Amino acid sequence: MTSTINADPAELAKFSELAHRWWDLESEFKPLHQINPLRLAWIQTFVPLTYKTMVDVGCGGGILADSAARQGAKVLGIDLSTKALKVAQLHAMEAETPNVSYREASAEALAAEVPGSMDVVTCMEMLEHVPDPASVVEACARMVKPGGWVFFSTLNRNPMSFIQAIVGAEYVLNLLPKGTHEYAKMIRPSELAHYCREAGLELQATKGLSYNPLTRRYSMSNNTQVNYLFATRKPAA
């Protein structure tokens, strides 16, 4: 790991330790499995994925990348966790998932290699884990074709998100391992909107993601106080 890579070694180590549990539906990654159909369906309200080229930035064990490939996209998942990528590759082989591949690469490095080449770029639950989220947003914008779509999801930073996403999810309900999120790294929608504008992306829609502790179910909503998603687009040339 060099200082020039936009990643926190402690964050990589944290997720690498859990890598073997990515596809255990009752593991620490259960929330990701639960929200994946919701976010995938939301993405496809803007751009049907069939025959599209897509990069999933910070793909982890491949939950979103694998499901997008099954929708007909040609998907490349990138991450800096070697262990998570090995799990993703193994799952793709075992499940015989077509048109999905994985590489150990940063968003910035891939953007320099294949600028303006992707129909869709996704970066989900990742921006709040890197030292410089604006750099990742800019790299995602460089990867996508003019007229292409870039989707982000992350955590808002306010008292409500602290109570629900950290105290509630990590310490009360045990939905996530303790220490998964740091309050200071959470990103307000206004901040992410600024990063997007600076990168030349136009915000098309915002959506919230809510959790009901009684039904133990997630749902899409208009409440962006805690988890939220951005749909952005690079202007056509």
Side-chain angles (χ1 to χ4, degrees):
M1 183 64 61
T2 67
S3 59
T4 59
I5 293 179
N6 183 20
D8 182 341
E11 291 280 355
L12 290 177
K14 182 166 62 183
F15 286 100
S16 291
E17 282 298 309
L18 299 170
H20 63 289
R21 296 174 64 84
W22 268 102
W23 287 93
D24 179 348
L25 301 186
E26 297 300 321
S27 74
E28 296 88 344
F29 298 107
K30 181 178 180 178
L32 290 182
H33 288 280
Q34 291 178 317
I35 68 175
N36 191 57
L38 298 173
R39 62 187 185 181
L40 185 65
W42 189 70
I43 288 169
Q44 292 202 100
T45 63
F46 300 95
V47 52
L49 293 177
T50 305
Y51 304 124
K52 297 296 192 296
T53 54
M54 171 178 158
V55 169
D56 184 27
V57 176
C59 65
I63 295 171
L64 177 60
D66 193 273
S67 60
R70 292 183 176 277
Q71 295 296 315
K74 183 177 181 181
V75 184
L76 172 63
I78 63 168
D79 205 289
L80 292 173
S81 170
T82 305
K83 289 184 178 179
L85 289 171
K86 287 180 178 177
V87 169
Q89 290 165 338
L90 180 61
H91 181 270
M93 286 189 290
E94 290 178 342
E96 298 182 347
T97 306
N99 298 318
V100 64
S101 59
Y102 297 96
R103 279 183 58 187
E104 187 170 338
S106 67
E108 292 86 350
L110 189 65
E113 183 182 328
V114 291
S117 62
M118 298 294 161
D119 296 309
V120 180
V121 177
T122 55
C123 182
M124 305 303 210
E125 287 80 45
M126 184 262 201
L127 291 176
E128 70 271 23
H129 296 290
V130 298
D132 186 358
S135 176
V136 175
V137 172
E138 196 274 334
C140 291
R142 273 192 289 151
M143 276 184 237
V144 76
K145 297 175 181 176
W149 290 85
V150 183
F151 298 90
F152 300 101
S153 69
T154 189
L155 281 165
N156 204 337
R157 187 177 73 256
N158 56 47
M160 180 63 73
S161 64
F162 177 78
I163 292 168
Q164 290 192 17
I166 295 181
V167 177
E170 297 182 19
Y171 290 88
V172 177
L173 299 175
N174 294 315
L175 296 174
L176 300 169
K178 293 176 178 62
T180 296
H181 294 111
E182 293 180 37
Y183 181 71
K185 289 185 176 181
M186 293 177 176
I187 303 166
R188 295 190 180 106
S190 59
E191 294 167 339
L192 182 52
H194 174 72
Y195 300 155
C196 290
R197 285 194 301 273
E198 290 292 301
L201 296 172
E202 296 178 348
L203 180 59
Q204 303 294 311
T206 306
K207 203 71 174 174
L209 191 65
S210 302
Y211 179 73
N212 186 324
L214 298 178
T215 62
R216 299 183 181 179
R217 291 183 180 276
Y218 291 87
S219 60
M220 303 296 279
S221 72
N222 293 320
N223 183 355
T224 59
Q225 284 291 300
V226 184
N227 298 79
Y228 68 95
L229 301 94
F230 268 18
T232 72
R233 198 169 193 182
K234 180 187 266 188

